[in-house]
Coordinates of all heavy atoms in Angstrom, one line a residue:
V190 N 83.9 219.0 19.0 CA 84.1 219.3 17.6 C 83.4 218.4 16.7 O 82.9 218.8 15.6 CB 85.7 219.4 17.3 CG1 86.3 218.0 17.2 CG2 85.9 220.1 16.0
N191 N 83.3 217.1 17.1 CA 82.5 216.1 16.2 C 81.0 216.5 16.2 O 80.4 216.3 15.2 CB 82.8 214.7 16.8 CG 84.1 214.1 16.2 OD1 84.1 213.5 15.2 ND2 85.2 214.3 16.9
L192 N 80.5 216.9 17.4 CA 79.1 217.3 17.4 C 78.9 218.5 16.5 O 77.9 218.6 15.7 CB 78.7 217.7 18.8 CG 77.3 218.2 19.0 CD1 76.3 217.1 18.6 CD2 77.0 218.6 20.5
F193 N 79.8 219.5 16.4 CA 79.6 220.6 15.5 C 79.6 220.2 14.1 O 78.7 220.6 13.3 CB 80.8 221.6 15.8 CG 80.9 222.7 14.7 CD1 80.0 223.8 14.8 CD2 81.7 222.6 13.6 CE1 80.1 224.8 13.8 CE2 81.8 223.6 12.6 CZ 81.0 224.7 12.7
W194 N 80.5 219.3 13.7 CA 80.6 218.8 12.3 C 79.3 218.0 12.0 O 78.9 218.0 10.8 CB 81.8 218.0 12.1 CG 83.1 218.9 12.1 CD1 84.2 218.8 12.9 CD2 83.3 220.1 11.3 NE1 85.1 219.8 12.7 CE2 84.6 220.6 11.7 CE3 82.6 220.7 10.3 CZ2 85.2 221.7 11.1 CZ3 83.2 221.8 9.7 CH2 84.5 222.3 10.1
F195 N 78.7 217.3 12.9 CA 77.5 216.6 12.6 C 76.4 217.5 12.2 O 75.7 217.3 11.2 CB 77.1 215.8 13.9 CG 75.7 215.2 13.7 CD1 75.4 214.2 12.9 CD2 74.6 215.7 14.5 CE1 74.1 213.6 12.7 CE2 73.4 215.2 14.4 CZ 73.1 214.1 13.5
V196 N 76.2 218.6 12.9 CA 75.2 219.6 12.6 C 75.5 220.2 11.2 O 74.6 220.4 10.4 CB 75.1 220.7 13.7 CG1 74.1 221.8 13.3 CG2 74.7 220.1 15.0
W197 N 76.8 220.6 11.0 CA 77.2 221.1 9.7 C 76.8 220.2 8.6 O 76.3 220.6 7.6 CB 78.7 221.3 9.8 CG 79.4 221.6 8.5 CD1 79.8 220.7 7.5 CD2 79.9 222.9 8.0 NE1 80.5 221.4 6.5 CE2 80.5 222.7 6.8 CE3 79.8 224.2 8.5 CZ2 81.1 223.7 6.0 CZ3 80.3 225.3 7.8 CH2 81.0 225.0 6.6
G198 N 77.2 218.9 8.7 CA 76.9 218.0 7.6 C 75.4 217.7 7.4 O 75.0 217.7 6.2
M199 N 74.6 217.6 8.4 CA 73.2 217.4 8.3 C 72.6 218.6 7.5 O 71.8 218.3 6.5 CB 72.5 217.3 9.6 CG 72.7 216.0 10.3 SD 71.7 214.7 9.5 CE 70.0 215.2 9.8
V200 N 72.9 219.8 7.8 CA 72.3 220.9 7.1 C 72.7 220.9 5.6 O 71.8 221.1 4.7 CB 72.8 222.3 7.7 CG1 72.4 223.5 6.9 CG2 72.2 222.4 9.2
L201 N 74.0 220.7 5.3 CA 74.4 220.7 3.9 C 73.9 219.6 3.1 O 73.5 219.8 1.9 CB 75.9 220.8 3.8 CG 76.6 222.0 4.4 CD1 78.1 221.9 4.1 CD2 76.0 223.3 3.9
L202 N 73.8 218.4 3.7 CA 73.3 217.2 2.9 C 71.8 217.4 2.6 O 71.4 217.0 1.4 CB 73.5 216.0 3.7 CG 75.0 215.5 3.8 CD1 75.2 214.4 4.8 CD2 75.5 215.1 2.4
V203 N 71.0 217.9 3.5 CA 69.6 218.0 3.2 C 69.3 219.1 2.2 O 68.5 219.1 1.4 CB 68.8 218.3 4.6 CG1 67.4 218.7 4.3 CG2 68.9 217.1 5.5
A204 N 70.2 220.2 2.3 CA 70.0 221.4 1.4 C 70.8 221.3 0.1 O 70.8 222.3 -0.6 CB 70.3 222.6 2.2
Q205 N 71.5 220.2 -0.2 CA 72.5 220.3 -1.3 C 71.9 220.5 -2.6 O 72.5 221.1 -3.5 CB 73.3 218.9 -1.3 CG 72.4 217.7 -1.7 CD 73.3 216.5 -1.8 OE1 74.5 216.5 -1.6 NE2 72.6 215.4 -2.2
G206 N 70.6 220.3 -2.8 CA 69.9 220.5 -4.1 C 69.9 221.9 -4.5 O 69.7 222.2 -5.7
V207 N 69.9 222.8 -3.5 CA 69.8 224.3 -3.8 C 71.1 225.0 -3.6 O 71.2 226.2 -3.7 CB 68.7 225.0 -2.9 CG1 67.3 224.4 -3.2 CG2 69.0 224.8 -1.4
L208 N 72.2 224.3 -3.3 CA 73.5 224.8 -3.1 C 74.3 224.8 -4.4 O 73.9 224.1 -5.4 CB 74.3 224.1 -2.0 CG 73.7 224.1 -0.6 CD1 74.4 223.2 0.3 CD2 73.7 225.6 -0.1
P209 N 75.4 225.6 -4.5 CA 76.1 225.7 -5.8 C 76.9 224.4 -6.1 O 76.9 223.4 -5.3 CB 77.1 226.9 -5.5 CG 77.2 227.0 -4.0 CD 75.9 226.6 -3.5
L210 N 77.7 224.4 -7.2 CA 78.5 223.3 -7.6 C 77.6 222.0 -7.7 O 78.0 220.9 -7.2 CB 79.6 223.0 -6.6 CG 80.7 224.1 -6.6 CD1 81.8 223.8 -5.5 CD2 81.4 224.3 -8.0
N211 N 76.5 222.1 -8.5 CA 75.6 221.0 -8.7 C 75.2 220.9 -10.1 O 74.0 221.1 -10.5 CB 74.4 221.2 -7.8 CG 73.5 220.0 -7.8 OD1 73.8 218.9 -8.3 ND2 72.2 220.1 -7.3
P212 N 76.2 220.7 -11.0 CA 75.9 220.8 -12.5 C 75.0 219.6 -12.9 O 74.3 219.8 -14.0 CB 77.3 220.7 -13.1 CG 78.1 220.0 -12.1 CD 77.6 220.5 -10.8
D213 N 74.9 218.6 -12.2 CA 74.1 217.4 -12.6 C 72.7 217.5 -12.0 O 71.8 216.6 -12.3 CB 74.7 216.1 -12.1 CG 76.1 215.9 -12.8 OD1 76.3 216.4 -13.9 OD2 77.0 215.2 -12.2
G214 N 72.4 218.5 -11.2 CA 71.0 218.7 -10.6 C 70.6 217.6 -9.6 O 69.5 217.3 -9.5
N215 N 71.5 217.1 -8.8 CA 71.2 216.1 -7.8 C 70.4 216.8 -6.7 O 70.7 217.9 -6.3 CB 72.5 215.5 -7.2 CG 73.2 214.7 -8.2 OD1 72.6 214.3 -9.3 ND2 74.5 214.4 -8.0
I216 N 69.4 216.0 -6.1 CA 68.5 216.6 -5.1 C 69.1 216.4 -3.7 O 70.1 215.6 -3.5 CB 67.1 216.0 -5.2 CG1 67.2 214.4 -4.9 CG2 66.5 216.2 -6.5 CD1 65.8 213.8 -4.8
G217 N 68.5 217.0 -2.7 CA 69.0 216.9 -1.3 C 68.6 215.5 -0.8 O 67.7 214.8 -1.3
Q218 N 69.3 215.0 0.3 CA 69.0 213.8 0.8 C 67.8 213.9 1.8 O 67.6 214.9 2.4 CB 70.3 213.2 1.6 CG 71.4 212.9 0.7 CD 72.5 212.1 1.4 OE1 72.6 212.0 2.6 NE2 73.5 211.6 0.6
T219 N 67.2 212.7 2.0 CA 66.1 212.7 3.1 C 66.8 212.8 4.4 O 68.0 212.6 4.6 CB 65.3 211.4 3.0 OG1 66.2 210.3 3.2 CG2 64.7 211.2 1.6
C220 N 66.0 213.1 5.5 CA 66.5 213.3 6.8 C 67.2 212.0 7.3 O 68.3 212.1 7.9 CB 65.4 213.7 7.8 SG 64.9 215.4 7.5

């Protein structure tokens, strides 16, 4: 279950700049 959440988190953190709930326009994190 921890391995699954690691993959989940990596994808969302790198792509956060194009995901919703971003009123301040913050960009995605580097790898």
Side-chain angles (χ1 to χ4, degrees):
V190 74
N191 277 271
L192 178 61
F193 170 81
W194 290 121
F195 170 70
V196 176
W197 167 280
M199 281 291 294
V200 171
L201 295 188
L202 289 169
V203 171
Q205 68 177 1
V207 297
L208 294 174
L210 293 178
N211 186 15
D213 298 333
N215 294 341
I216 62 173
Q218 293 190 348
T219 62
C220 287

